[in-house]
Amino acid sequence: MTLSTKPIQTSPAVLVLVTDQMSCERLILAGRRLADQHKMSLEVVNVARLGTVPNPEAMEFLYQVSRENDAVMTVEYCEDSEKTLIKKLKDLRPSIVVTGLPGKGSTLLQRLWTRFESLSFYTVEENGEPQPVTAVNRALA
């Protein structure tokens, strides 16, 4: 078995991970600014568990915000959200991943940060400002 030390190739895209909340608009707008700054495309993804009843008004709103910001938005329902997000990140290999702030009691984002150290993650503050996830953030995760 040969191990490659070649870095994994990322695609020149910003991937925004949203939930079905209107407040995720700030994530899409921050993603658009980062995409413009780095001359990349913008993609928006919502991953939800099967059986979850989404907020249809919020989903329609986020779809419109995505469209107005030249982004493709996809919604995926699955049995295991974490496995699906991991597969998406492996398959898409975006250069930048934009998320909200880690939820209380949830360690999903921190697990993604440590699993995908080659990707640049940004969290978006309540005021809409993207903050890079640093090596210190990853180490404390």
Side-chain angles (χ1 to χ4, degrees), residues 57-140:
E57 293 84 20
M59 295 305 288
E60 180 60 30
F61 173 72
L62 295 174
Y63 173 78
Q64 290 300 328
V65 171
S66 297
R67 209 169 101 195
E68 291 166 3
N69 284 279
D70 243 358
V72 173
M73 180 175 169
T74 58
V75 178
E76 188 164 337
Y77 291 94
C78 59
E79 292 288 333
D80 185 330
S81 300
E82 184 170 347
K83 274 187 181 176
T84 301
L85 281 171
I86 289 168
K87 182 171 178 2
K88 278 237 176 272
L89 292 175
K90 282 181 178 178
D91 291 349
L92 297 175
R93 280 291 176 192
S95 297
I96 296 173
V97 180
V98 177
T99 70
L101 299 169
K104 291 180 181 157
S106 173
T107 58
L108 173 61
L109 290 179
Q110 293 91 330
R111 289 193 304 274
L112 293 177
W113 299 342
T114 56
R115 184 172 186 134
F116 293 97
E117 291 184 8
S118 64
L119 302 181
S120 295
F121 284 87
Y122 285 78
T123 58
V124 181
E125 302 289 328
E126 296 296 327
N127 65 5
E129 286 303 311
Q131 299 296 319
V133 173
T134 65
V136 172
N137 299 124
R138 291 174 196 250
L140 294 175

